[in-house]
């Protein structure tokens, strides 16, 4: 069994799709939560408006120092000035993520590493839970990326839940729904 959340969920979906039937020998069931199955749409969403101020700014404040520390250990991996100047995910992924993982540029990375296209090749039971109001992936992109899926993939797109939040019940709410849903699916 395996569970991946956010980008880890997307990586898990990619792996399951790439491995097809072979994945059955390693993982009987899996679940992905709030997976950005269309990385380009997620990147664009995070680089705009309030998301850019709240999320991207915060993520880059941790990613830039980590990347610059990596450059100290491994000089020449990427351009330090471009890392310091990155203010959008697009800039950071073009400067750091894409070249470190063998992609030509950000567009190649976002296209090739998106898990949406792999959903139709998954051959073992997999639950994908993404909220329609996830600020990291707009609903229209979520629905478009999940058009063609394997019969082994169970799609659950609740109206609310944000990005891996899924708080339910009266204020202040609780987070039991997601844990219960995942356990129920994985124990089947």
């Amino acid at each position: 069994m395996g569970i991946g959340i956010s980008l880890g969920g997307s990586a898990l979906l990619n792996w399951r799709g790439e491995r097809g039937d072979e994945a059955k020998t390693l993982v009987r069931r899996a679940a992905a939560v709030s997976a950005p199955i269309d990385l380009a749409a997620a990147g664009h969403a995070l680089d705009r408006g309030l998301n850019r101020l709240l999320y991207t700014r915060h993520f880059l404040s941790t990613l830039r120092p980590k990347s610059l520390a990596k450059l100290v250990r491994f000089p020449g991996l990427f351009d330090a000035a471009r890392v310091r100047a990155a203010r959008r995910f697009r800039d950071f992924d073009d400067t750091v993520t894409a070249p470190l993982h063998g992609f030509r540029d950000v567009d190649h990375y976002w296209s090739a590493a998106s898990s949406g296209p792999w959903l139709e090749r998954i051959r073992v039971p997999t639950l994908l839970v993404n909220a329609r109001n996830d600020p990291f992936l707009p609903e229209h992109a979520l629905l478009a990326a999940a058009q063609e899926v394997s019969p082994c993939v169970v799609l659950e797109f609740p109206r609310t839940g944000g990005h891996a939040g899924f708080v339910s019940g009266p204020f202040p709410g609780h987070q039991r729904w997601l844990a219960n849903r995942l356990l129920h699916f994985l124990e089947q």
Side-chain angles (χ1 to χ4, degrees):
M1 290 186 232
I3 298 174
I5 299 173
S6 193
L7 199 53
S10 189
L12 178 64
L13 294 170
N14 284 351
W15 177 81
R16 292 181 78 83
E18 289 169 3
R19 295 287 190 251
D21 287 327
E22 180 188 339
K24 291 178 184 178
T25 63
L26 299 170
V27 180
R28 187 176 60 83
R29 295 176 88 70
V33 177
S34 298
I37 60 175
D38 179 337
L39 292 177
H44 294 306
L46 286 167
D47 281 344
R48 287 192 299 247
L50 190 58
N51 283 349
R52 186 172 174 190
L53 293 173
L54 293 177
Y55 302 114
T56 302
R57 188 182 205 180
H58 172 72
F59 289 139
L60 291 178
S61 73
T62 62
L63 290 170
R64 277 193 299 266
K66 289 176 185 177
S67 300
L68 294 171
K70 185 175 280 299
L71 272 179
V72 171
R73 293 185 63 211
F74 305 100
L77 286 178
F78 40 80
D79 185 336
R82 284 186 65 199
V83 171
R84 287 185 194 94
R87 296 292 177 261
R88 301 178 307 157
F89 264 109
R90 179 174 191 78
D91 303 330
F92 183 84
D93 280 351
D94 196 45
T95 302
V96 178
T97 312
L100 276 182
H101 296 94
F103 298 102
R104 285 186 311 275
D105 57 24
V106 67
D107 294 318
H108 181 218
Y109 163 56
W110 283 354
S111 172
S114 288
S115 55
W118 291 105
L119 296 176
E120 65 184 332
R121 295 196 53 209
I122 293 174
R123 299 292 175 253
V124 291
T126 302
L127 173 66
L128 173 58
V129 180
N130 278 58
R132 292 174 183 258
N133 72 340
D134 186 337
F136 291 20
L137 184 63
E139 180 179 12
H140 68 86
L142 170 65
L143 299 176
Q147 285 289 324
E148 296 182 29
V149 300
S150 159
C152 296
V153 176
V154 175
L155 301 175
E156 290 193 10
F157 300 152
R159 190 176 52 78
T160 62
H163 189 73
F166 300 100
V167 175
S168 56
F171 184 81
H174 58 81
Q175 295 182 319
R176 290 186 299 269
W177 177 84
L178 181 60
N180 289 336
R181 180 62 189 111
L182 293 174
L183 285 171
H184 176 74
F185 180 81
L186 294 173
E187 289 175 343
Q188 287 181 332

